[in-house]
Amino acid sequence: MSRIDRSAILAMIPHQGAMCLWDGVDDWDADRVCLRSASHRDPDNPLRSAGQLRALHLCEYGAQAMAVHGGLRAREGGAPVRPGMLVALRGMQLHVARIDDLVGDLTCVAEVLVEAGDSQQYAFRIECDGVLLAEGRAAVMLGAAQDAA
């Protein structure tokens, strides 16, 4: 599929302004999405504390990757977006302590593992310059469909 810019992402997910962590989608299909971001270098990133952005926040990057993929799938199918609530993280491995000091862009691949009616499970991997930063699985419960913004 074609590349998707930040404005299209903002129209598909509830996270707005600086809280929208992804800058663009480089590739996607029904099963996976590949995204990129430079937001970890932004001194105004809302997840920063004491001037740092801890690797633990990569869980939020992964969850937002899932939301973007859900929005893309809904848009492609002509269906309204179904909001999701993150209910579980499993097998999370963080391979660094912090990410604000990384020079390159973050990249993420999130893949649907299981989906059933009102729930989905994804696996995601986040890297920077080819170095694995975080990996894990996340489960989301889907709410009632809503029209995209």
Side-chain angles (χ1 to χ4, degrees):
M1 303 276 172
S2 62
R3 290 184 179 215
I4 308 296
D5 66 15
R6 182 176 174 80
S7 62
I9 291 173
L10 286 164
M12 290 184 284
I13 66 171
H15 307 84
Q16 297 296 299
M19 199 54 217
C20 174
L21 301 173
W22 292 108
D23 296 328
V25 174
D26 291 332
D27 189 34
W28 75 279
D29 60 29
D31 299 320
R32 63 190 269 289
V33 63
C34 303
L35 307 101
R36 67 185 144 64
S37 177
S39 68
H40 62 293
R41 295 189 303 264
D42 184 349
D44 293 324
N45 184 308
L47 298 177
R48 279 186 184 241
S49 63
Q52 296 183 354
L53 189 58
R54 289 166 180 72
L56 177 62
H57 296 298
L58 291 170
C59 296
E60 177 64 20
Y61 280 83
Q64 284 192 30
M66 295 167 55
V68 170
H69 191 240
L72 288 167
R73 291 172 66 185
R75 187 178 80 172
E76 181 75 10
V81 175
R82 293 184 70 188
M85 177 180 289
L86 185 66
V87 294
L89 291 170
R90 300 270 193 253
M92 283 302 307
Q93 294 184 20
L94 303 174
H95 301 286
V96 295
R98 55 189 277 210
I99 60 173
D100 56 282
D101 56 350
L102 300 174
V103 176
D105 286 353
L106 300 180
T107 59
C108 176
V109 174
E111 299 178 81
V112 178
L113 298 175
V114 179
E115 51 187 338
D118 293 333
S119 66
Q120 296 174 326
Q121 185 179 70
Y122 277 76
F124 63 89
R125 296 172 51 90
I126 301 175
E127 299 180 354
C128 180
D129 293 330
V131 176
L132 181 61
L133 305 176
E135 57 190 324
R137 298 181 316 278
V140 64
M141 295 297 298
L142 300 173
Q146 297 178 353
D147 290 324

